[in-house]
C-alpha cells in the first residue's frame, strides 16, 4: 500500500480510502491511485484484512450432491447474489441429507472463518442441524415448508400447487390427478397439500396420491398407470422432470396431450418450453430466492449477538401457461 501511495503521490491513508470506496476522495486522486495499483499489480491482502476486521467477507453455503434442477438453481441463485454483494463463497456439499453430515459441513465452513451460512434445506434434518451451529454464527435456510422455527426463505409450494390445480379445473376438468415427489421432502408434501386443498374447495373428487422420486423415470412409471385409466383427463406433476416422464407415457399409450389428457409441472426448467408439447408449469424465481436469502443473512449478520429470530420469507410462484394443458375433450 505504501508503494502505491509513493507512486501516486498520496498518503497511504488516501490509498486505504480508495480501496474501501470512501466517498470523500477527489475523482482525479482516485483515478491516480487506481492507475498506480494497476501499474504495480497491487492486490489487497485478504488474510490481513480478515485479521484486522475479524471478518472474512466470505459466506458459506451448505448444498448437496445432486443433479436436481431446484437445488442446483438455488445454489446458483445464492452464489450469484453473494457475488453481486461483494462476498466470496465457500461451498460444502453433502451426499446424505441427515443430521450428522450437514452438521459436519457446517463445522467445515466455520473452520474456514465464514461470516455466515446459507443452507439449501429440502429436508428437516438440515434446519435441525443448523440449530446446532456455533453460537453467534448467523444461519439461513433456503427451501422447506417454513415450519422449522428457523430463519427461512422459500417458495410457497402449496400456493404453487393450488395455482396449477386451479388452472386445470378452470379449463373444465372434473378433477386433477397428482404425481408427487418423495413425501419425506417438505416441499413435495406442501405441493400435495395445496393440490388436495384446491380439489376439496372445488367439491371435486380427490384421487389417491402417487409418490416417487423427482425424475422422469418415476413420472413415466406413474404415467403408464394413469394412461390406462380413461377417466384421467388432467395430471399435475410435482416437477417438470416427472412431467416429462408422464408425457412420454401418454404418448406411448396413444393418449394425446392436451387433447385427451392435460399435464402440468412445477419448476419451469429452461427446457420445459421445448417439451412436446411445451409444458404448462409453475415458475419458481430462484434468483429472487438467492437475493432474499442473502438479504436475510446480512440482516442477521448485522445483529451484534448473532441472534436469528425465526423469520419466514416467502416468494410467490406463478403459472406459466403453455400448450400441454387445455379443455377436456367433450364426452
Amino acid at each position: 500500500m505504501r508503494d502505491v501511495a509513493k507512486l501516486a503521490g498520496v498518503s497511504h491513508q488516501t490509498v486505504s480510502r480508495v480501496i474501501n470506496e470512501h466517498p470523500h476522495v477527489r475523482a482525479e486522486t482516485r483515478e491516480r491511485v487506481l492507475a498506480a495499483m494497476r501499474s504495480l499489480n497491487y492486490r489487497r491482502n485478504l488474510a490481513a484484512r480478515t485479521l484486522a476486521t475479524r471478518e472474512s467477507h466470505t459466506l458459506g453455503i451448505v448444498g448437496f450432491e445432486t443433479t436436481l434442477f431446484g437445488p442446483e438453481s438455488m445454489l446458483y441463485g445464492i452464489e450469484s447474489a453473494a457475488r453481486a454483494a461483494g462476498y466470496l463463497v465457500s461451498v460444502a456439499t453433502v451426499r446424505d441429507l441427515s443430521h450428522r453430515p450437514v452438521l459436519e459441513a457446517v463445522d467445515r465452513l466455520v473452520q474456514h472463518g465464514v461470516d455466515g451460512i446459507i443452507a439449501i434445506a429440502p429436508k428437516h434434518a438440515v434446519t435441525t442441524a443448523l440449530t446446532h451451529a456455533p453460537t453467534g454464527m448467523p444461519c439461513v435456510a433456503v427451501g422447506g415448508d417454513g415450519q422449522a422455527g428457523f430463519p427461512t426463505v422459500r417458495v410457497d409450494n402449496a400456493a404453487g400447487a393450488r395455482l396449477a390445480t386451479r388452472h386445470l379445473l378452470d379449463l373444465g376438468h372434473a378433477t386433477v390427478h397428482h404425481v408427487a415427489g418423495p413425501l419425506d421432502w417438505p416441499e413435495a408434501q406442501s405441493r400435495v397439500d395445496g393440490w388436495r386443498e384446491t380439489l376439496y374447495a372445488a367439491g371435486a373428487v380427490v384421487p389417491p396420491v402417487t409418490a416417487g422420486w423427482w425424475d422422469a423415470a418415476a413420472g413415466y412409471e406413474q404415467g403408464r398407470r394413469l394412461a390406462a385409466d380413461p377417466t384421467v383427463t388432467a395430471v399435475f406433476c410435482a416437477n417438470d422432470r416427472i412431467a416429462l416422464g408422464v408425457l412420454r407415457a401418454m404418448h406411448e399409450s396413444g393418449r394425446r396431450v392436451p387433447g385427451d389428457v392435460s399435464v402440468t409441472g412445477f419448476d419451469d426448467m429452461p427446457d420445459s418450453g421445448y417439451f412436446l408439447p411445451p409444458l404448462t408449469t409453475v415458475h419458481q424465481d430462484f434468483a429472487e430466492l438467492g437475493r432474499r436469502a442473502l438479504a436475510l443473512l446480512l440482516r442477521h449478520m448485522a445483529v451484534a449477538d448473532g441472534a436469528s429470530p425465526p423469520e419466514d420469507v416467502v416468494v410467490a410462484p406463478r403459472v406459466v401457461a403453455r400448450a400441454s394443458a387445455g379443455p377436456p375433450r367433450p364426452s
Side-chain angles (χ1 to χ4, degrees), residues 180-328:
L183 297 183
D184 60 337
W185 287 48
E187 292 174 349
Q189 185 60 60
S190 293
R191 294 172 195 182
V192 171
D193 293 342
W195 161 78
R196 183 179 286 125
E197 290 166 6
T198 305
L199 293 181
Y200 277 135
V205 172
V206 181
V209 175
T210 57
W213 186 240
W214 297 106
D215 60 8
Y220 178 74
E221 179 183 350
Q222 297 298 337
R224 292 182 64 185
R225 181 185 62 78
L226 292 170
D229 183 350
T231 67
V232 174
T233 67
V235 182
F236 162 49
C237 302
N239 76 354
D240 291 353
R241 292 178 67 182
I242 292 173
L244 178 61
V246 170
L247 288 174
R248 175 168 177 173
M250 293 297 170
H251 173 74
E252 290 184 354
S253 301
R255 302 201 68 188
R256 294 182 302 170
V257 178
D260 300 317
V261 181
S262 289
V263 177
T264 67
F266 202 114
D267 278 346
D268 194 22
M269 293 168 46
D271 296 337
S272 62
Y274 296 91
F275 288 6
L276 191 61
L279 183 67
T280 293
T281 186
V282 177
H283 177 78
Q284 299 194 71
D285 191 339
F286 293 107
E288 182 64 15
L289 276 176
R291 288 190 290 268
R292 297 280 192 96
L294 179 66
L296 181 58
L297 181 64
L298 294 180
R299 198 152 62 242
H300 291 306
M301 285 167 55
V303 177
D305 60 2
S308 298
E311 188 173 351
D312 182 31
V313 177
V314 181
V315 177
R318 59 182 173 85
V319 168
V320 178
R322 299 192 181 104
S324 67

Side-chain angles (χ1 to χ4, degrees), residues 165-176 199 204 232-235 258-263 324-329:
T165 307
R166 186 72 258 171
H167 179 72
L168 291 167
L169 292 176
D170 287 346
L171 288 170
H173 295 277
T175 191
V176 178
L199 293 181
V232 174
T233 67
V235 182
D260 300 317
V261 181
S262 289
V263 177
S324 67
R329 181 192 296 272

Side-chain angles (χ1 to χ4, degrees), residues 1-319:
M1 190 179 294
R2 292 184 183 278
D3 292 336
V4 171
K6 182 178 180 181
L7 182 59
V10 299
S11 67
H12 74 274
Q13 291 92 341
T14 298
V15 175
S16 177
R17 284 194 288 271
V18 171
I19 290 173
N20 290 295
E21 300 181 351
H22 196 282
H24 301 303
V25 179
R26 289 186 301 175
E28 60 183 58
T29 302
R30 186 184 304 276
E31 183 52 42
R32 196 162 68 248
V33 170
L34 292 175
M37 290 169 62
R38 289 191 294 268
S39 175
L40 295 173
N41 196 27
Y42 172 82
R43 297 292 184 274
R44 65 194 309 184
N45 189 323
L46 295 180
R49 180 181 183 275
T50 298
L51 288 172
T53 64
R54 298 182 181 271
E55 295 179 353
S56 65
H57 226 60
T58 300
L59 303 179
I61 302 178
V62 177
F64 67 104
E65 298 177 13
T66 181
T67 58
L68 294 177
F69 174 72
E72 274 193 337
S73 299
M74 288 179 189
L75 177 60
Y76 179 75
I78 296 164
E79 195 276 336
S80 296
R83 185 175 63 248
Y87 282 88
L88 298 174
V89 168
S90 180
V91 180
T93 58
V94 296
R95 291 184 178 179
D96 180 12
L97 288 172
S98 57
H99 180 89
R100 182 172 178 179
V102 175
L103 192 56
E104 289 173 348
V106 170
D107 287 341
R108 291 199 303 273
L109 293 171
V110 171
Q111 290 170 20
H112 280 81
V114 299
D115 298 331
I117 294 174
I118 299 176
I120 298 170
K123 301 181 81 172
H124 287 306
V126 178
T127 48
T128 301
L130 290 180
T131 63
H132 293 88
T135 302
M137 174 58 66
C139 296
V140 168
V142 179
D145 57 5
Q147 302 298 314
F150 196 86
T152 306
V153 177
R154 61 187 176 90
V155 165
D156 193 334
N157 289 281
R162 288 193 292 268
L163 289 172
T165 307
R166 186 72 258 171
H167 179 72
L168 291 167
L169 292 176
D170 287 346
L171 288 170
H173 295 277
T175 191
V176 178
H177 292 254
H178 182 42
V179 182
L183 297 183
D184 60 337
W185 287 48
E187 292 174 349
Q189 185 60 60
S190 293
R191 294 172 195 182
V192 171
D193 293 342
W195 161 78
R196 183 179 286 125
E197 290 166 6
T198 305
L199 293 181
Y200 277 135
V205 172
V206 181
V209 175
T210 57
W213 186 240
W214 297 106
D215 60 8
Y220 178 74
E221 179 183 350
Q222 297 298 337
R224 292 182 64 185
R225 181 185 62 78
L226 292 170
D229 183 350
T231 67
V232 174
T233 67
V235 182
F236 162 49
C237 302
N239 76 354
D240 291 353
R241 292 178 67 182
I242 292 173
L244 178 61
V246 170
L247 288 174
R248 175 168 177 173
M250 293 297 170
H251 173 74
E252 290 184 354
S253 301
R255 302 201 68 188
R256 294 182 302 170
V257 178
D260 300 317
V261 181
S262 289
V263 177
T264 67
F266 202 114
D267 278 346
D268 194 22
M269 293 168 46
D271 296 337
S272 62
Y274 296 91
F275 288 6
L276 191 61
L279 183 67
T280 293
T281 186
V282 177
H283 177 78
Q284 299 194 71
D285 191 339
F286 293 107
E288 182 64 15
L289 276 176
R291 288 190 290 268
R292 297 280 192 96
L294 179 66
L296 181 58
L297 181 64
L298 294 180
R299 198 152 62 242
H300 291 306
M301 285 167 55
V303 177
D305 60 2
S308 298
E311 188 173 351
D312 182 31
V313 177
V314 181
V315 177
R318 59 182 173 85
V319 168

